[in-house]
Amino acid sequence: MILRLYYHFRLFTFLCALLSRAVSVTLQTSYLIDGDQCFQLDPPTSPFVREAFQRYDEGDPMTAIRDWLNEQEVKNTRGQKRTYNSAQHILNNRRYIGEYIYRDIVVPDGIFAIVPPRLR
């Protein structure tokens, strides 16, 4: 019985990942999950992510980007100030360039890209 439930759960999450649906409830900065479990852009915060990528591309150090995000009051997913690691996580997160990743499944252009192609 337990193995059957595990199998169905794995099948469900696999199908959700192929459809670029939200499998877990962990939110990312600049994305919302709608009623269909799809990722949608969060208009108030998505420009800050784009600006962080642009600043990094222009050569700003990570600490300057972190300080700028804190000045703009862009909080992390727990509602706290940004740290060096959370600012680095924004720049390393593949979702912001449009890739949906769940376990070993990668769906290019699976969600809305916040970062323009020239900054990828």
Side-chain angles (χ1 to χ4, degrees):
M1 179 68 173
I2 292 176
L3 287 176
R4 177 176 266 175
L5 287 174
Y6 176 75
Y7 171 76
H8 287 293
F9 175 75
R10 294 287 296 203
L11 179 63
F12 172 75
T13 55
F14 175 77
L15 293 175
C16 286
L18 288 179
L19 296 172
S20 301
R21 303 281 196 247
V23 176
S24 65
V25 294
T26 304
L27 290 177
Q28 304 292 319
T29 301
S30 302
Y31 285 110
L32 300 172
I33 299 174
D34 65 8
D36 294 331
Q37 297 296 351
C38 294
F39 287 95
Q40 301 294 330
L41 292 179
D42 184 18
T45 58
S46 58
F48 294 113
V49 171
R50 188 178 303 118
E51 179 71 22
F53 272 88
Q54 187 169 358
R55 286 173 178 253
Y56 189 73
D57 186 53
E58 293 170 355
D60 284 3
M62 195 74 65
T63 54
I65 294 170
R66 176 205 58 203
D67 294 341
W68 176 78
L69 288 169
N70 285 331
E71 287 172 7
Q72 302 301 318
E73 297 183 2
V74 178
K75 305 290 185 188
N76 64 13
T77 55
R78 294 182 178 171
Q80 301 169 345
K81 283 185 156 185
R82 290 272 169 196
T83 62
Y84 182 89
N85 289 337
S86 65
Q88 184 178 22
H89 181 72
I90 287 177
L91 298 174
N92 291 336
N93 193 340
R94 307 286 296 179
R95 286 189 181 172
Y96 296 128
I97 65 171
E99 282 186 4
Y100 179 84
I101 300 172
Y102 180 74
R103 296 187 185 241
D104 59 343
I105 300 168
V106 177
V107 181
D109 297 324
I111 57 177
F112 294 108
I114 295 175
V115 180
R118 66 178 182 80
L119 293 177
R120 294 181 186 173

